[in-house]
Structure formats: C-alpha cells, structure tokens
Amino acid sequence: MLAEQFYERVGKSRNTFLIFATLNILFFSGISFTFVIPGLKGFSLFFVVLTLLMYFIAANIFVGLFKERIWFVFTICIILNGLGMGWRLWLEWREFSLVEHTRLAVYIGYPSVSAIIITIFYIISNSIFGKKFNSSIR
C-alpha cells in the first residue's frame, strides 16, 4: 500500500524525483567517499549506513522512474558517482586529508562499487515492488 502510493507520486512528478535522486547520488558520493572505504583514514560506520540508506532511496526512485532498465540505471549511477567524487577532489585538491584517497583503486573502485550497490538495490526493489506497481498501471 505504502509502496504503491510512493511510486504513484514518483510517476506524477517525475522531474522533481529525478532531480532529487540525481543530487542525492551526486552529493552523497562526493561527501561520503572519504568515510565509507574500510581501512582508510576517516572510516565511519555511521556514514556507511547513512550512505546506504540514501542510495536505497535513490534506487527506489529509479524503480518508479525507469521500468526494467538495469543497464541505464547502472550507467547513470556510475557517472553520477564519478562526478560527485571528482567534484569533492577538485574542491579539496592538495588537502592533506585526501592523500590516502588519491589512488587509482579508489578512483575506479568507489564509483564502480557504489553503482553496483545502487543497481542491486534497484533490482531488489523492482522485483518486490515494481511488478505490483507495473501491473496496477496497466
């Protein structure tokens, strides 16, 4: 019941929810990438949970916006994660706190892993809620 109402709202104001999900991924990938990588300085379990929650919200918005478009969601997520991380690195270039995070493994791994996590959330939410929502529209 609650999921159907949420997806109906997403369907009615698509642009607003698309902007929210885009900014959500963009800003949280920029803010959190220094706090969510285990083993590096600054790791915080609080930020891991918060980031996963925000990515879950964005994935559920994508379920309402994009029906059965897994590769499109993955591509959008990897681009937005890369842009968010690049934005943060550009703002804090030559900061001592980012020395550990300026490695090729972090540059490639973080956007890839984040996009995979969001896509997994999308697939799970689409299999649970998307089928009910899609069948009620038709």
Side-chain angles (χ1 to χ4, degrees), residues 21-30 55 58 62 77 80-81 118:
T22 301
L23 291 176
N24 182 358
I25 294 172
L26 190 68
F27 286 122
F28 265 90
S29 65
Y55 287 167
F62 287 152
C77 291
L80 290 175
N81 279 310
I118 295 171

Side-chain angles (χ1 to χ4, degrees), residues 95-111:
E95 290 275 335
F96 183 72
S97 63
L98 288 179
V99 170
E100 281 192 6
H101 298 90
T102 54
R103 297 181 184 158
L104 188 61
V106 175
Y107 291 155
I108 295 171
Y110 180 76

Side-chain angles (χ1 to χ4, degrees), residues 76-87:
I76 291 296
C77 291
I78 203 164
I79 290 170
L80 290 175
N81 279 310
L83 286 174
M85 196 172 114
W87 163 73

